[in-house]
Amino acid sequence: MSAQLKPACQQGLTLLELLVAMFLTSVLLLGLVKLVTAASAATRLQDNQALLQDQARVALRLLTPAVSQAGYSPAPWNPALLVEAIAGGTADGVSSHGDRLVLRGWSDRNCFDNRNPETGGDGKPLFYLREQAFDLNSTGHLARSCRYGPTEASLVTQVSRQGLVPGVESFQLLFGEDSDADGNVDRWVRAGNWTDEKQLLGVRAGLLLAGLDPVTEPRSLTYQLLDTSRRPRADGRLRQSFDMILAIRGRNG
């Protein structure tokens, strides 16, 4: 009798088993997508935090030397060379986004920080009057303007509202006045509310900076900038306020 071959057992997935496998795969994929999304959101949040810190550092590097050198005179004993450190044009609320700061002092460097090509009898660069203004332009940049010349009447504009710090939503200013001449700030006042401009020792600048992308849940938050409150629209962008105190040192001669 010839041997009869039996067919091998055929094994496969039942419909129920296939559905369970598909369900487990979808759960794993969903978890992976959520993990990648969360990691991407955290990265964008960190990038925006780093951006705000960098913007603040740039603003500080921009404002510090300008305020520090304001009011400088190469010959403080000569009344003709004395100038106001906080110059005319400084004002509160020049726009809905903030104030304007105008600084003036004598310098042997022009608006580009290059030595004055005009020299005196000793061969050294002459000191000309330099006037710098800071405010916010229409694109939300902290902008710098600068004029330079031998006299107030002959100042030449070398920089016209150059936007240097992006993402600034508010620029607020207060001015520190030494009311009793003891070398310390006794009160912080708004532009023009000081008793004597010569007794101003420093400038306090408040900046509200905003990131580029929506990275958080949209919430309407109030930010305090010096003596002013700001409530920007809820758009999910990361925001942070910064308070800078800058000393006027140029009057030391």
Side-chain angles (χ1 to χ4, degrees), residues 39-83:
S40 177
T43 299
R44 288 191 294 118
L45 180 61
Q46 291 176 349
D47 289 344
N48 276 261
Q49 288 174 333
L51 174 65
L52 296 186
Q53 294 294 327
D54 186 59
Q55 289 171 315
R57 283 192 292 268
V58 172
L60 184 63
R61 289 197 300 267
L62 179 66
L63 292 170
T64 297
V67 173
S68 178
Q69 298 162 13
Y72 178 78
S73 171
W77 57 85
N78 184 353
L81 296 181
L82 295 179
V83 294

XYZ file of all heavy atoms in Angstrom, residues 39-83:
335
model
N 8.243 66.861 21.657
C 9.666 67.214 21.570
C 9.862 68.426 20.670
O 10.658 69.322 20.966
C 10.461 66.023 21.039
N 9.097 68.484 19.566
C 9.198 69.633 18.660
C 8.715 70.904 19.333
O 9.326 71.972 19.189
C 8.380 69.357 17.396
O 8.397 70.476 16.541
N 7.605 70.815 20.083
C 7.077 71.985 20.788
C 8.063 72.476 21.845
O 8.263 73.685 22.016
C 5.731 71.649 21.428
N 8.685 71.543 22.561
C 9.665 71.922 23.583
C 10.876 72.596 22.939
O 11.412 73.573 23.474
C 10.102 70.691 24.373
N 11.282 72.098 21.778
C 12.423 72.704 21.077
C 12.091 74.115 20.633
O 12.904 75.041 20.777
C 12.810 71.845 19.862
O 13.197 70.545 20.312
C 13.969 72.478 19.109
N 10.882 74.295 20.077
C 10.481 75.625 19.632
C 10.361 76.585 20.806
O 10.703 77.765 20.704
C 9.156 75.545 18.863
C 9.299 74.910 17.487
C 8.060 75.084 16.637
N 6.916 74.367 17.189
C 5.799 74.967 17.597
N 5.691 76.276 17.548
N 4.793 74.251 18.060
N 9.868 76.087 21.939
C 9.772 76.926 23.138
C 11.154 77.354 23.604
O 11.388 78.538 23.918
C 9.048 76.164 24.248
C 8.878 76.912 25.581
C 8.047 78.176 25.387
C 8.229 76.000 26.617
N 12.100 76.417 23.633
C 13.464 76.741 24.034
C 14.113 77.720 23.053
O 14.818 78.646 23.473
C 14.292 75.459 24.136
C 13.898 74.560 25.296
C 14.680 73.261 25.303
O 15.376 72.927 24.344
N 14.571 72.514 26.395
N 13.850 77.522 21.757
C 14.402 78.435 20.749
C 13.869 79.847 20.946
O 14.613 80.832 20.834
C 14.068 77.945 19.344
C 14.844 76.696 18.955
O 15.849 76.395 19.638
O 14.444 76.015 17.981
N 12.577 79.966 21.255
C 11.988 81.280 21.464
C 12.499 81.925 22.752
O 12.714 83.136 22.802
C 10.463 81.185 21.480
C 9.851 81.209 20.096
O 9.382 82.234 19.619
N 9.851 80.056 19.433
N 12.696 81.122 23.792
C 13.270 81.647 25.034
C 14.681 82.172 24.792
O 15.045 83.259 25.276
C 13.283 80.553 26.109
C 11.910 80.216 26.654
C 11.931 79.028 27.605
O 12.796 78.150 27.503
N 10.983 78.983 28.526
N 15.472 81.416 24.036
C 16.827 81.857 23.715
C 16.794 83.124 22.866
O 17.632 84.022 23.045
C 17.580 80.748 22.982
N 15.828 83.212 21.948
C 15.710 84.394 21.108
C 15.409 85.633 21.941
O 16.015 86.693 21.738
C 14.607 84.184 20.069
C 14.267 85.396 19.194
C 15.448 85.775 18.325
C 13.034 85.112 18.339
N 14.490 85.524 22.897
C 14.148 86.670 23.741
C 15.350 87.121 24.562
O 15.599 88.335 24.704
C 12.983 86.318 24.668
C 11.643 86.003 24.002
C 10.556 85.829 25.055
C 11.245 87.097 23.019
N 16.101 86.174 25.096
C 17.294 86.530 25.870
C 18.324 87.227 24.975
O 18.960 88.198 25.390
C 17.903 85.271 26.492
C 17.046 84.598 27.552
C 16.870 85.468 28.795
O 17.768 86.229 29.162
N 15.730 85.341 29.450
N 18.456 86.738 23.745
C 19.407 87.352 22.820
C 18.958 88.759 22.435
O 19.773 89.682 22.344
C 19.546 86.482 21.566
C 20.633 86.987 20.625
O 21.795 87.074 21.068
O 20.331 87.288 19.463
N 17.656 88.940 22.202
C 17.127 90.273 21.891
C 17.409 91.241 23.037
O 17.782 92.400 22.802
C 15.627 90.192 21.627
C 15.258 89.503 20.325
C 13.764 89.252 20.238
O 13.134 88.802 21.191
N 13.179 89.548 19.092
N 17.215 90.782 24.265
C 17.449 91.650 25.424
C 18.918 92.033 25.530
O 19.257 93.175 25.846
C 16.983 90.953 26.700
N 19.815 91.071 25.263
C 21.249 91.374 25.319
C 21.641 92.397 24.256
O 22.447 93.304 24.518
C 22.062 90.085 25.156
C 22.105 89.213 26.398
C 23.144 88.119 26.256
N 22.756 87.152 25.246
C 22.072 86.035 25.514
N 21.695 85.772 26.755
N 21.776 85.187 24.539
N 21.076 92.267 23.061
C 21.382 93.227 21.999
C 20.898 94.620 22.391
O 21.605 95.614 22.209
C 20.736 92.788 20.668
C 20.893 93.879 19.610
C 21.369 91.492 20.174
N 19.689 94.703 22.950
C 19.164 95.995 23.391
C 20.039 96.607 24.480
O 20.312 97.817 24.472
C 17.734 95.823 23.899
N 20.508 95.771 25.397
C 21.368 96.265 26.476
C 22.690 96.778 25.921
O 23.170 97.854 26.321
C 21.608 95.153 27.497
C 22.408 95.523 28.742
C 21.673 96.583 29.558
C 22.667 94.287 29.611
N 23.284 96.026 24.979
C 24.546 96.467 24.366
C 24.356 97.745 23.548
O 25.287 98.550 23.411
C 25.117 95.357 23.478
C 25.670 94.168 24.228
C 26.572 93.325 23.339
N 25.878 92.801 22.185
C 25.285 91.614 22.137
N 25.292 90.833 23.206
N 24.696 91.196 21.038
N 23.169 97.944 23.021
C 22.888 99.122 22.215
C 22.681 100.360 23.089
O 23.217 101.438 22.799
C 21.636 98.859 21.369
C 21.127 99.976 20.463
C 22.136 100.262 19.361
C 19.782 99.589 19.860
N 21.932 100.204 24.170
C 21.552 101.351 24.989
C 22.621 101.759 26.000
O 22.781 102.955 26.295
C 20.247 101.052 25.727
C 18.991 100.927 24.859
C 17.820 100.400 25.685
C 18.629 102.265 24.237
N 23.353 100.775 26.532
C 24.288 101.071 27.616
C 25.338 102.115 27.242
O 25.496 103.121 27.952
C 24.970 99.784 28.109
O 23.971 98.904 28.655
C 25.994 100.079 29.187
N 26.099 101.949 26.158
C 27.109 102.972 25.849
C 26.501 104.311 25.485
O 27.077 105.369 25.790
C 27.888 102.364 24.678
C 26.971 101.369 24.072
C 26.146 100.832 25.188
N 25.344 104.302 24.826
C 24.712 105.558 24.430
C 24.305 106.371 25.653
O 24.545 107.585 25.723
C 23.497 105.275 23.552
N 23.702 105.711 26.641
C 23.301 106.410 27.865
C 24.527 106.811 28.677
O 24.620 107.918 29.208
C 22.347 105.533 28.702
C 22.055 106.183 30.055
C 21.050 105.276 27.950
N 25.486 105.900 28.764
C 26.676 106.150 29.573
C 27.447 107.381 29.102
O 27.939 108.170 29.911
C 27.588 104.925 29.548
O 28.769 105.145 30.276
N 27.548 107.573 27.797
C 28.343 108.665 27.238
C 27.561 109.963 27.073
O 28.140 110.992 26.704
C 28.910 108.233 25.885
C 29.854 107.037 25.976
C 30.065 106.334 24.648
O 29.702 106.863 23.599
N 30.618 105.138 24.690
N 26.255 109.928 27.346
C 25.440 111.125 27.165
C 25.894 112.237 28.110
O 26.236 112.003 29.263
C 23.973 110.799 27.422
N 25.904 113.450 27.585
C 26.289 114.615 28.384
C 27.773 114.868 28.460
O 28.210 115.830 29.111
N 28.580 114.048 27.780
C 30.033 114.207 27.877
C 30.488 115.506 27.218
O 30.016 115.890 26.140
C 30.749 113.032 27.215
C 32.264 113.187 27.248
C 32.975 112.926 28.415
C 32.948 113.631 26.122
C 34.356 113.091 28.450
C 34.329 113.796 26.156
C 35.019 113.526 27.327
O 36.382 113.708 27.363
N 31.436 116.177 27.875
C 32.069 117.381 27.324
C 33.572 117.230 27.438
O 34.078 116.878 28.509
C 31.618 118.635 28.070
O 32.389 119.758 27.668
N 34.321 117.483 26.363
C 35.784 117.384 26.439
C 36.395 118.517 27.252
O 37.546 118.437 27.655
C 36.215 117.465 24.971
C 35.121 118.233 24.306
C 33.864 117.842 25.018
N 35.596 119.569 27.498
C 36.075 120.702 28.297
C 34.928 121.166 29.190
O 34.248 122.159 28.889
C 36.556 121.833 27.394
N 34.673 120.449 30.290
C 33.514 120.758 31.136
C 33.572 122.138 31.780
O 32.557 122.628 32.265
C 33.543 119.638 32.189
C 34.926 119.108 32.176
C 35.419 119.275 30.782
N 34.739 122.762 31.779
C 34.852 124.109 32.322
C 34.379 125.171 31.330
O 34.223 126.335 31.682
C 36.313 124.378 32.690
C 37.250 124.213 31.518
C 37.580 125.127 30.571
C 37.930 123.016 31.151
N 38.425 124.603 29.640
C 38.670 123.288 29.974
C 38.007 121.737 31.707
C 39.461 122.335 29.340
C 38.792 120.792 31.067
C 39.513 121.090 29.902
N 34.149 124.751 30.076
C 33.720 125.687 29.038
C 32.200 125.604 28.886
O 31.679 124.607 28.396
C 34.398 125.340 27.710
C 34.072 126.328 26.614
O 33.235 127.212 26.776
N 34.741 126.187 25.479
N 31.465 126.639 29.297
C 29.994 126.580 29.213
C 29.483 126.343 27.801
O 28.402 125.770 27.614
C 29.567 127.964 29.725
C 30.724 128.465 30.523
C 31.945 127.897 29.864
N 30.255 126.754 26.796
C 29.808 126.586 25.418
C 29.757 125.120 25.003
O 29.090 124.768 24.020
C 30.728 127.365 24.482
N 30.467 124.255 25.733
C 30.528 122.833 25.381
C 29.676 121.960 26.304
O 29.745 120.734 26.232
C 31.978 122.352 25.394
C 32.907 122.989 24.361
C 34.310 122.398 24.460
C 32.367 122.823 22.954
N 28.890 122.592 27.161
C 28.004 121.829 28.032
C 26.699 121.537 27.300
O 26.106 122.430 26.684
C 27.725 122.601 29.320
C 28.938 122.835 30.233
C 28.527 123.630 31.468
C 29.582 121.516 30.633
N 26.270 120.293 27.331
C 25.028 119.902 26.661
C 24.175 119.073 27.598
O 24.670 118.471 28.558
C 25.319 119.083 25.379
C 26.017 119.930 24.344
C 26.128 117.832 25.699
